[in-house]
Amino acid sequence: MLTYSGIDSDAPCDLEALVAEAQITYKDYLGWQNPENSLRELDRIKELAQFIKDNYELVIVCGAGGSYTGARAIIEATDGQSANLTRKTKVVFMGNHLSSLGLQEVLSFVDTFNTCMIVVSKSGTTIETNIGYQLVLRRFKEKYENPYERIVIITGDDTGFLYREHAAHGMELLTVPKDVGGRYSLHTAVGLLPMAVADVDIDAFLAGLFDYRRLTENADNPSRRYACDRRALFLKGKTTEFLVSYDPRMEYYQKWYVQLFGESEGKHKDVIFPSYMVNTTDLHSMGQYLQEGPGNVFETVIDVSRYPVDFDVNLAAFDDCYQAHDHFSLNALKRIVSRATKEAHQKNDVTSLGIELERLDAYTMGEMAYFFMEACFVSSLLFHAHPFNQPGVEEYKQEYKHRLQ
Ligand code: PA5
């Protein structure tokens, strides 16, 4: 169960009319609210994931932006960043950059492992993704007799390059629903197939996500409160938000939040800059900035109440001031540090909002995913931004296309 604690639970947060109007204005973009879009291909997703796990040692997930961030976020949050060391079918990501070194690194895995590829692009036209696909396919052709059998395409546009490749070569095809935008698509085939291959319990993930969705049928829900609090803090001069976790495995989840809010809200001069910190690691770097920097910051801290593992640590061994604590729970220590840090940051007028998760697993990651998507939708409305488009992203594409003509 996700619990949100904001700045003032009695402050008015009446967004009913605004949201009701937006449900009409943006009706063509609201497919992420519809469970049907998750369930339609679920059986096929599970079958394909099982087939991939039974037959391949490595799967390359090739996608950019919303076409990979969510999957990577949930896989790493539930299984850790180093899970590939022990996984039977390893999962790597590509198709989100133009680095020859980065691409070479992944291509070298094709030489080592029996590999397949999931290519994800709603438009089917993203250059980073298409280059990744092209280079891996070229390597597959050198190595395997039936290269196309090793490829699954997930696309939404039946005119894009990837769809045409599917039409010409008959690879497996899953679809991105027309009314679901990239950064809101982690609970469709886009996220679910890579997650299932990485052994994420996708039924639990969807259960958490849709249990939380039910909460949003109530006008007074945690996502709307969070959106109202962000807006209120912004109006007080808090123009930067740090999403803070205390688990390194959450880093990609936090990057997903940055993408979600950055791409949705970042359409005017007056918006919140979304950033993140993984503590306690970043207390040794950006912690300084929060403690004594400009103070135009608020933080949203994710705490987890229960972990399946703990360690007994001897603090007394380090310093006399810890004398009474020769047996101390590491999880309890982390909790104390989290509370103490919030209080310390308060001295620089840094306000802390809080998200408390009971556990860190597929279910709670699903809950929190919907919490943020709903919050981002509503918050974008409060910042007068179209929550679902990204016209600014097109600008750099136009610029480089111009140079290539
Ligand atoms: O949120 C979005 O729509 C974007 O981040 C896209 O996901 C990203 O640009 C990739 O687009 P596509 O899936 O068309 O390759």
Side-chain angles (χ1 to χ4, degrees):
M1 178 72 186
L2 176 154
T3 317
Y4 170 71
S5 46
I7 39 180
D8 178 0
S9 53
D10 294 328
C13 179
D14 184 7
L15 304 176
E16 234 170 315
L18 184 72
V19 176
E21 193 191 323
Q23 291 284 137
I24 298 165
T25 312
Y26 297 113
K27 65 179 188 326
D28 295 339
Y29 300 88
L30 295 175
W32 54 278
Q33 298 177 342
N34 179 2
E36 231 346 89
N37 279 328
S38 300
L39 303 177
R40 195 176 301 120
E41 292 183 318
L42 195 56
D43 290 344
R44 186 71 194 121
I45 288 168
K46 288 180 182 172
E47 274 170 26
L48 269 174
Q50 195 54 52
F51 180 81
I52 289 172
K53 287 194 288 180
D54 289 345
N55 288 282
Y56 298 105
E57 296 170 305
L58 173 76
V59 59
I60 296 170
V61 180
C62 183
S67 284
Y68 93 104
T69 321
R72 186 163 180 180
I74 304 300
I75 290 170
E76 292 193 2
T78 51
D79 217 10
Q81 290 166 318
S82 311
N84 269 339
L85 291 174
T86 49
R87 224 177 246 144
K88 194 170 145 272
T89 302
K90 302 178 193 319
V91 183
V92 294
F93 293 88
M94 77 177 319
N96 48 40
H97 58 72
L98 297 173
S99 159
S100 49
L101 287 173
L103 289 164
Q104 172 53 26
E105 186 185 316
V106 176
L107 290 172
S108 72
F109 299 151
V110 180
D111 298 334
T112 311
F113 298 105
N114 178 18
T115 306
C116 72
M117 172 166 59
I118 302 170
V119 197
V120 194
S121 173
K122 183 174 178 184
S123 62
T125 60
T126 299
I127 196 163
E128 294 91 338
T129 305
N130 287 349
I131 287 175
Y133 163 77
Q134 192 175 69
L135 294 180
V136 173
L137 177 61
R138 210 177 275 166
R139 200 56 72 99
F140 278 6
K141 282 182 177 167
E142 286 159 14
K143 202 174 165 194
Y144 304 120
E145 208 171 303
N146 297 311
Y148 293 104
E149 279 181 358
R150 298 172 172 266
I151 298 174
V152 179
I153 303 256
I154 305 179
T155 192
D157 196 312
D158 50 18
T159 58
F161 168 71
L162 287 179
Y163 189 86
R164 296 201 303 277
E165 284 291 280
H166 153 76
H169 304 288
M171 301 91 109
E172 284 288 347
L173 180 79
L174 293 170
T175 49
V176 189
K178 281 202 173 357
D179 54 358
V180 182
R183 56 193 176 275
Y184 292 79
S185 71
L186 82 173
H187 52 314
T188 69
V190 171
L192 294 175
L193 181 61
M195 286 185 219
V197 172
D199 281 331
V200 174
D201 182 344
I202 57 173
D203 290 322
F205 171 74
L206 290 175
L209 194 132
F210 289 117
D211 281 352
Y212 184 84
R213 176 189 173 280
R214 267 191 290 282
L215 278 188
T216 63
E217 286 165 11
N218 185 337
D220 184 16
N221 64 63
S223 297
R224 289 195 199 175
R225 291 224 148 259
Y226 172 53
C228 283
D229 288 345
R230 292 176 89 248
R231 179 76 186 162
L233 288 167
F234 174 79
L235 293 175
K236 284 187 192 159
K238 306 292 175 188
T239 52
T240 296
E241 175 180 25
F242 283 92
L243 182 66
V244 178
S245 85
Y246 277 80
D247 290 285
R249 58 170 56 191
M250 287 297 292
E251 182 160 6
Y252 245 87
Y253 205 104
Q254 294 166 268
K255 276 180 184 284
W256 171 76
Y257 139 87
V258 166
Q259 193 226 346
L260 182 65
F261 280 82
E263 221 174 7
S264 301
E265 285 186 345
K267 287 160 188 161
H268 304 289
K269 302 286 175 243
D270 289 332
V271 285
I272 293 170
F273 174 70
S275 187
Y276 73 90
M277 284 170 69
V278 181
N279 289 350
T280 58
T281 314
D282 292 337
L283 289 178
H284 298 267
S285 58
M286 289 301 283
Q288 172 61 40
Y289 181 91
L290 266 78
Q291 198 61 62
E292 292 188 330
N296 63 333
V297 168
F298 67 100
E299 55 184 2
T300 300
V301 183
I302 302 168
D303 285 308
V304 179
S305 338
R306 276 190 277 153
Y307 287 95
V309 63
D310 198 359
F311 290 97
D312 175 66
V313 289
N314 178 1
L315 300 179
F318 309 143
D319 199 314
D320 283 351
C321 72
Y322 303 132
Q323 240 177 36
H325 303 307
D326 53 349
H327 288 286
F328 207 81
S329 145
L330 185 67
N331 291 336
L333 174 65
K334 186 167 64 103
R335 202 146 183 103
I336 289 170
V337 171
S338 173
R339 279 202 206 115
T341 304
K342 285 176 205 163
E343 273 172 37
H345 288 171
Q346 192 62 49
K347 292 180 189 157
N348 193 30
D349 202 22
V350 171
T351 306
S352 300
L353 308 176
I355 295 170
E356 177 97 22
L357 300 174
E358 209 173 308
R359 302 172 308 276
L360 203 164
D361 59 15
Y363 181 89
T364 58
M365 292 303 100
E367 280 184 299
M368 194 162 66
Y370 205 96
F371 167 83
F372 277 124
M373 289 191 291
E374 178 74 15
C376 184
F377 166 46
V378 176
S379 183
S380 300
L381 304 176
L382 289 173
F383 281 94
H384 312 290
H386 187 314
F388 305 111
N389 69 1
Q390 54 281 331
V393 174
E394 296 309 311
E395 282 290 324
Y396 93 95
K397 296 183 187 168
Q398 294 312 323
E399 286 293 332
Y400 77 68
K401 278 183 187 162
H402 179 64
R403 283 164 172 73
L404 287 169
Q405 274 159 15

